Amino acid sequence: MSVKIAYLWKDRKRYLGMPLSFTRYSLSEDRLFTSVGFLNIRDDEVLLYRVRDIDTRRSLWQRLFGVGTVTVISSDKTMPHMELKNIKDPVFVKELIHQQVEEVKIKRRVRVGEVMTTDADGDGEPDDMDDPE
């Protein structure tokens, strides 16, 4: 039984700006997928509500060919670091992922607070990490 998923975005890893690889990326409303391989295929996914940070990098060669790399950092145990390498229009993809992450977090009522630490004694470690003596 095959389940059809509506994808918001799909692309392949590109070489010289052309999609000539067996690495495929896709984004649905609630997950980000990678599929790598031809005969032996490895599929991975990250649930969007677990995404912590999104980064975009474009080297000179990538810019010449109109591609870039989007890195997604998540709290997922099996896939904490996902790279979408050599994809077309990486800034657009980053913003699309960001919008979907925010929508999913609102729908699921996920609230993630940033942890702020202090170093009042100046020893280089946050005060909540110091051992009481």
Side-chain angles (χ1 to χ4, degrees), residues 32-34 44-46 70-72 79-84:
L32 182 60
F33 301 92
T34 63
D44 286 310
E45 68 181 60
V46 170
V70 175
T71 304
V72 176
M79 191 67 137
H81 184 90
M82 179 186 281
E83 282 192 337
L84 311 177

Side-chain angles (χ1 to χ4, degrees), residues 12-129:
R12 288 179 178 256
K13 182 176 180 181
R14 294 169 179 266
Y15 292 102
L16 303 176
M18 299 184 306
L20 302 174
S21 76
F22 296 105
T23 301
R24 294 166 300 281
Y25 307 114
S26 53
L27 174 69
S28 73
E29 286 187 11
D30 62 344
R31 293 177 286 175
L32 182 60
F33 301 92
T34 63
S35 182
V36 180
F38 177 64
L39 296 175
N40 297 317
I41 299 173
R42 187 185 81 232
D43 295 313
D44 286 310
E45 68 181 60
V46 170
L47 295 169
L48 292 180
Y49 78 90
R50 291 187 171 162
V51 171
R52 297 275 192 223
D53 193 26
I54 308 166
D55 183 70
T56 306
R57 286 175 287 129
R58 290 167 290 171
S59 68
L60 174 62
W61 293 109
Q62 286 177 318
R63 288 191 341 246
L64 288 173
F65 292 106
V67 298
T69 299
V70 175
T71 304
V72 176
I73 307 296
S74 73
S75 60
D76 189 284
K77 299 287 187 208
T78 61
M79 191 67 137
H81 184 90
M82 179 186 281
E83 282 192 337
L84 311 177
K85 294 180 182 178
N86 295 337
I87 58 171
K88 191 164 60 168
D89 204 359
V91 175
F92 168 78
V93 173
K94 176 187 173 189
E95 288 304 314
L96 184 62
I97 293 170
H98 173 71
Q99 288 174 351
Q100 283 306 117
V101 166
E102 293 303 314
E103 285 182 24
V104 168
K105 286 183 177 183
I106 289 169
K107 282 181 188 175
R108 292 182 69 116
R109 296 186 175 126
V110 174
R111 179 167 165 77
V112 178
E114 293 197 27
V115 177
M116 300 299 288
T117 59
T118 58
D119 183 19
D121 55 6
D123 66 353
E125 287 187 16
D127 291 333
D128 59 346
M129 301 292 286

